[in-house]
Amino acid sequence: MKASDILALVRPNIAALTPYSTARDEYQGALGIFLDANESPYPTGYNRYPDPHQKELKRRIGEIKGVDPARIFIGNGSDEAIDLVFRVFCRPGVDNAVAITPSYGMYKVAAAINDVALREVRLEEDFSLPAERLLAACDTHTRLMFLCSPNNPTGNAFGRDELLALADRFSGMLVVDEAYIDFSSIPSLRTQIAAHPNIIVLQTLSKAWGMAALRVGLAFADPLVISLMSQVKYPYNIGQKTQETVLEALSSPIDARVAEIVSERARVAEALRGMPVVLKLWPSEANFLLVRFPDADAMYEKLLAEGIIVRNRNRVPGCEGCLRITIGTPEENDRLIETLIQSKP
Ligand code: PMP
């Protein structure tokens, strides 16, 4: 798809939108007597509205990610970006979206909130990408396709070439959710958005960067898509304190922590693989393992009784009998392993 084809996919009311213009849009100097935004004049440390465009943060994230700031959207978690792509591209009750399943639950919830039908396509038995079935599920009203890679909760990542080939054959916007990409050996698709303008890459600071409580998600896409998402978002979607805290936190490298999670993932997997209580363990490119037990509900309760909380995926179609276990610190992982060793199948 060419960048000039994107506009035809946008909801007509969004393409025609006159966005809200904030006081901070109209005057951008830093010094002066600010009587323009009905703020309190008394300094509390947060009496002024924040930068609605998060310019400084985008510049820094652009540097770290090697992406032009005009191709970066910053949201209140990537959940905000997921909601916004529905609001920008899908006419409620008319358009539809396609997603893999099992996958991250918010695609379905955001679709339902926006009154958009979500057509879920089961992954292959080995969790690989059902490219032909995904394309077959599309019709002329399909505006979005969601692929999560590495996928939550299955843990596998899809090949870069198969994702690019799918993007080229799809006539809507392909949303690739890379929330767990920092833990993966597969490179991010964010470097491919210029060559493939119908790809929107989602990332988050909630996982490898350790900022889940701050709520910062990222979307990398064509500048037109970024500008549409920015017009639809709430003007001041990222608070001043968050922008400042994130800027500061971005100067501490995460490499050592990510390396420890990745090596712990291998160690925990190795320990689990030999256990009679473990029926199946899938390879993972993320910071969690999907594990099948003879009785997942009983194992969930047993771990809970030991103070270990995991995610029970037993009722998710395709993940029957499975728990999703996040990789913790080496000490936390030791506790998990000890508890599992003591469990009878
Ligand atoms: N995408 C995936 C695949 C996730 O697993 C999650 C959170 N669990 C998110 C997005 C949302 O992340 P956040 O809103 O914290 O950025």
Side-chain angles (χ1 to χ4, degrees):
M1 186 190 289
K2 299 193 296 293
S4 54
D5 295 334
I6 294 174
L7 202 53
L9 297 171
V10 176
R11 276 169 72 191
N13 62 315
I14 301 300
L17 190 72
T18 306
Y20 178 69
S21 173
T22 69
R24 291 289 169 271
D25 283 311
E26 283 163 23
Y27 177 77
Q28 291 181 14
L31 293 176
I33 298 173
F34 286 94
L35 305 180
D36 59 344
N38 298 346
E39 297 152 334
S40 166
Y42 306 111
T44 57
Y46 34 79
N47 57 313
R48 300 292 175 193
Y49 280 104
D51 173 8
H53 310 292
Q54 305 110 18
K55 284 194 237 34
E56 193 50 27
L57 200 50
K58 283 187 181 174
R59 191 193 56 71
R60 185 73 186 105
I61 289 173
E63 240 170 47
I64 292 171
K65 300 282 181 178
V67 176
D68 173 357
R71 296 181 179 274
I72 302 177
F73 170 84
I74 304 181
N76 187 312
S78 35
D79 287 340
E80 181 182 7
I82 293 168
D83 179 57
L84 283 172
V85 293
F86 280 104
R87 294 168 70 188
V88 168
F89 290 104
C90 298
R91 288 168 294 177
V94 177
D95 294 322
N96 65 69
V98 168
I100 51 170
T101 185
S103 193
Y104 181 44
M106 273 307 284
Y107 313 138
K108 195 171 186 168
V109 175
I113 290 170
N114 287 286
D115 193 17
V116 173
L118 188 72
R119 301 175 172 189
E120 295 186 306
V121 176
R122 273 291 279 269
L123 291 174
E124 303 295 353
E125 203 61 40
D126 61 356
F127 297 148
S128 60
L129 199 66
E132 298 308 320
R133 284 189 290 116
L134 282 164
L135 289 167
C138 299
D139 64 16
T140 53
H141 286 307
T142 305
R143 293 284 179 270
L144 300 172
M145 185 185 290
F146 286 87
L147 301 178
C148 185
S149 180
N151 188 36
N152 174 10
T154 59
N156 58 311
F158 306 116
R160 169 186 152 122
D161 291 344
E162 62 179 338
L163 292 177
L164 293 176
L166 192 55
D168 291 346
R169 293 173 65 195
F170 177 47
S171 51
M173 302 299 298
L174 180 68
V175 183
V176 182
D177 186 342
E178 295 188 338
Y180 300 96
I181 195 71
D182 297 305
F183 306 106
S184 172
S185 53
I186 289 187
S188 167
L189 282 195
R190 70 174 186 273
T191 54
Q192 302 299 312
I193 52 179
H196 304 266
N198 66 329
I199 296 182
I200 300 172
V201 172
L202 304 183
Q203 291 188 6
T204 179
L205 302 188
S206 299
K207 310 292 176 186
W209 283 94
M211 301 188 215
L214 293 175
R215 310 306 304 130
V216 178
L218 311 172
F220 304 107
D222 187 84
L224 172 66
V225 175
I226 298 301
S227 112
L228 290 162
M229 291 172 74
S230 306
Q231 288 176 21
V232 175
K233 75 177 178 72
Y234 293 145
Y236 302 111
N237 63 329
I238 310 289
Q240 179 66 27
K241 288 282 161 193
T242 300
Q243 295 191 39
E244 286 167 9
T245 310
V246 171
L247 258 178
E248 164 126 26
L250 285 173
S251 53
S252 312
I254 54 167
D255 310 0
R257 288 183 171 181
V258 170
E260 179 161 286
I261 297 285
V262 169
S263 82
E264 281 293 291
R265 180 179 73 199
R267 183 176 77 88
V268 175
E270 193 49 40
L272 264 60
R273 205 165 281 126
M275 292 183 191
V277 80
V278 171
L279 289 185
K280 186 159 182 168
L281 170 72
W282 283 266
S284 172
E285 296 273 332
N287 66 338
F288 55 81
L289 294 169
L290 188 71
V291 190
R292 179 168 282 150
F293 296 94
D295 184 342
D297 289 347
M299 184 54 78
Y300 176 84
E301 293 300 332
K302 157 105 187 148
L303 290 170
L304 199 58
E306 297 296 323
I308 301 173
I309 303 111
V310 299
R311 192 92 150 115
N312 190 347
R313 301 284 80 186
N314 190 19
R315 273 155 209 86
V316 173
C319 296
E320 292 81 4
C322 292
L323 303 180
R324 190 195 69 192
I325 304 176
T326 306
I327 302 299
T329 63
E331 297 72 31
E332 290 172 336
N333 300 331
D334 284 343
R335 281 277 311 281
L336 170 85
I337 292 167
E338 282 158 25
T339 308
L340 288 176
I341 285 175
Q342 288 156 13
S343 303
K344 304 256 174 323

